[in-house]
């Protein structure tokens, strides 16, 4: 084992074998965590994934993974519309669950998972891995110290040139497609982290041919009086930076702000207060896993970095944005 020593002996399973699952498995391995099982809808896919990451147990169904007595916690990495069903399967089998973001497709599903986990005495946690990165922990320390004075504005973008292929997951409404749930969740969650719940929300969007959102912009006000703006796009690559502006200083988080990166803290006169550089092995997805292990070890059903009630409430914010831009998923009333 290399890197961090695990804080508990949690045995990890991975549900589904897509791109994000590969990144997560790689980071788990690098951190020396105990990855023991993978489940896919096909045995061949599970076997290939298991071979790639030296995982001892490969299951040809999600049900078999959930039932595996050697697994303590499962990372759910399917597309958004399957999160609620897949996480419910895991929780009902008595396993903790780390669920890819966006946590579900709407607030009602999210609340259902929260309540089920609470009844079962299990951890259910949104895999908003950015919040657990070292540079974000430092940003929160700076904010808590009052270095910025009164925070007035926050703005962030998550803009990538991905694809306009109508059959791609990102553009398919049946798969929870759209820039908001896939990309916008990052800046929306960041704004929540810094400023708390929005009091007013205004959203505009440009929809693609399939009816999924290709661009979304938000302007929100928060309890302190601060204002925030976010932009998300799946059709063009923007700066992908984030900024927190206060009366005494500002934080500028460099490209790509939601991955391990650097930031500067600058006074209004332009003088440098702090420069932070990240030194992270891999993509940085191991930090959320280490946090989950720590919560379980301490007997907590959630942590303070992203409490489950906040994940549920953020889904409510995304619901309101979708209401304003006119995006509805199949099966939603």
């Amino acid at each position: 084992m290399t890197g961090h020593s695990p804080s508990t002996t949690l045995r990890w399973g991975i549900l589904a074998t897509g791109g994000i699952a590969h990144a997560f498995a790689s980071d788990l391995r690098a951190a020396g965590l105990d990855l023991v099982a993978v489940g896919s809808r096909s045995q061949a896919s599970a076997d290939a994934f298991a071979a790639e990451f030296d995982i001892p147990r490969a299951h040809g169904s999600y049900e078999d993974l959930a039932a595996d007595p050697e697994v303590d916690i499962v990372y759910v990495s399917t597309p958004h519309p399957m999160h609620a069903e897949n996480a419910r399967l895991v929780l009902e089998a008595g396993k903790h669950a780390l669920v890819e973001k966006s946590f579900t497709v709407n607030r009602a599903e999210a609340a259902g998972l929260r309540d089920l986990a609470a009844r079962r005495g299990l951890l259910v946690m949104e895999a908003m891995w950015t919040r657990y990165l070292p540079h974000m922990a430092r940003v929160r320390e700076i904010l808590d110290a009052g270095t910025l004075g009164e925070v007035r504005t926050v703005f962030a973008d998550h803009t990538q040139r991905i694809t306009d292929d109508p059959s791609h997951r990102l553009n398919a409404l049946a798969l929870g497609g759209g820039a908001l749930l896939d990309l916008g969740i990052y800046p929306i969650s960041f704004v929540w982290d810094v400023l708390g719940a929005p009091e007013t929300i205004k959203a505009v969007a440009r929809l693609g041919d399939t009816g999924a959102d290709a661009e979304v912009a938000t302007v929100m006000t928060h309890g302190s009086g601060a204002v925030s703006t976010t932009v998300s796009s799946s059709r063009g690559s923007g700066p992908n930076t984030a900024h927190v502006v206060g009366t005494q200083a500002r934080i500028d988080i460099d490209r790509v702000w939601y991955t391990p990166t650097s930031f500067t803290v600058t006074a209004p006169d332009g003088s440098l207060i702090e420069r932070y550089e990240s030194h992270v092995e891999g993509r940085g997805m191991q930090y959320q896993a280490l946090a989950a292990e720590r919560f379980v070890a301490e007997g907590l059903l959630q942590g303070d970095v992203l409490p489950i009630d906040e994940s549920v409430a953020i889904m409510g914010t995304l619901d309101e944005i979708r209401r304003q831009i006119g995006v509805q998923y199949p099966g939603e009333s």
Side-chain angles (χ1 to χ4, degrees):
M1 296 198 304
T2 58
H4 312 271
S5 60
S7 51
T8 72
T9 52
L10 285 188
R11 298 165 299 178
W12 285 85
I14 292 181
L15 188 151
T17 55
I20 196 87
H22 280 78
F24 185 72
S26 179
D27 283 352
L28 278 194
R29 278 281 177 250
L33 300 186
D34 196 11
L35 175 54
V36 301
V38 61
S40 175
R41 287 174 300 181
S42 87
Q43 189 66 52
S45 176
D47 289 341
F49 193 94
E52 182 177 351
F53 294 104
D54 192 25
I55 299 170
R57 305 160 80 82
H59 298 287
S61 75
Y62 300 154
E63 289 77 11
D64 287 350
L65 172 67
D68 188 335
E70 299 294 312
V71 173
D72 303 310
I73 184 167
V74 173
Y75 169 68
V76 175
S77 68
T78 43
H80 321 307
M82 293 82 184
H83 287 176
E85 178 188 343
N86 297 155
R88 191 177 303 114
L89 180 71
V90 166
L91 293 166
E92 286 175 346
K95 316 273 197 273
H96 305 291
L98 175 64
V99 184
E100 238 335 300
K101 39 93 208 89
S102 63
F103 188 55
T104 52
V105 295
N106 56 43
R107 189 191 181 284
E109 285 187 352
L113 290 183
R114 174 196 61 197
D115 297 347
L116 172 60
R119 287 197 303 274
R120 299 299 302 264
L122 295 165
L123 174 80
V124 66
M125 181 172 140
E126 182 184 3
M128 177 40 75
W129 59 290
T130 298
R131 288 221 188 174
Y132 299 90
L133 293 172
H135 75 287
M136 284 298 175
R138 179 61 191 143
V139 164
R140 282 191 292 272
E141 288 174 358
I142 291 165
L143 291 168
D144 290 346
T147 306
L148 269 54
E150 182 199 350
V151 175
R152 304 287 300 190
T153 61
V154 174
F155 41 112
D157 77 307
H158 187 173
T159 47
Q160 294 188 41
R161 174 79 182 98
I162 299 178
T163 180
D164 53 10
D165 175 0
S167 66
H168 188 276
R169 174 183 69 80
L170 207 69
N171 300 314
L173 285 178
L175 294 177
L180 180 67
L181 261 60
D182 216 86
L183 308 175
I185 179 65
Y186 286 89
I188 297 290
S189 187
F190 178 67
V191 163
W192 260 86
D193 197 12
V194 176
L195 296 176
E199 292 199 337
T200 65
I201 300 169
K202 292 195 170 77
V204 294
R206 182 178 181 183
L207 305 187
D209 294 340
T210 63
D213 46 292
E215 276 87 23
V216 183
T218 67
V219 179
M220 300 189 286
T221 63
H222 301 264
S224 65
V227 298
S228 68
T229 63
T230 76
V231 176
S232 313
S233 174
S234 60
R235 302 294 172 84
S237 181
N240 288 298
T241 58
H243 311 270
V244 183
V245 181
T247 53
Q248 301 301 316
R250 74 174 190 272
I251 299 174
D252 298 311
I253 310 179
D254 298 332
R255 180 180 180 87
V256 172
W257 71 266
Y258 51 85
T259 69
T261 189
S262 47
F263 67 77
T264 52
V265 186
T266 308
D269 65 2
S271 60
L272 181 67
I273 297 171
E274 179 175 331
R275 175 73 179 166
Y276 182 96
E277 304 277 351
S278 288
H279 302 283
V280 169
E281 187 177 1
R283 190 170 184 228
M285 297 186 79
Q286 66 271 32
Y287 292 96
Q288 60 182 349
L290 289 162
E293 295 218 350
R294 189 171 66 251
F295 302 149
V296 171
E298 293 171 2
L300 304 173
L301 295 186
Q302 60 182 345
D304 56 355
V305 175
L306 181 53
I308 191 60
D309 282 340
E310 188 170 329
S311 289
V312 173
I314 289 170
M315 287 312 308
T317 297
L318 299 182
D319 286 354
E320 173 56 21
I321 293 167
R322 285 199 297 118
R323 187 192 68 78
Q324 291 187 23
I325 66 176
V327 172
Q328 193 169 332
Y329 295 117
E332 288 188 310
S333 55

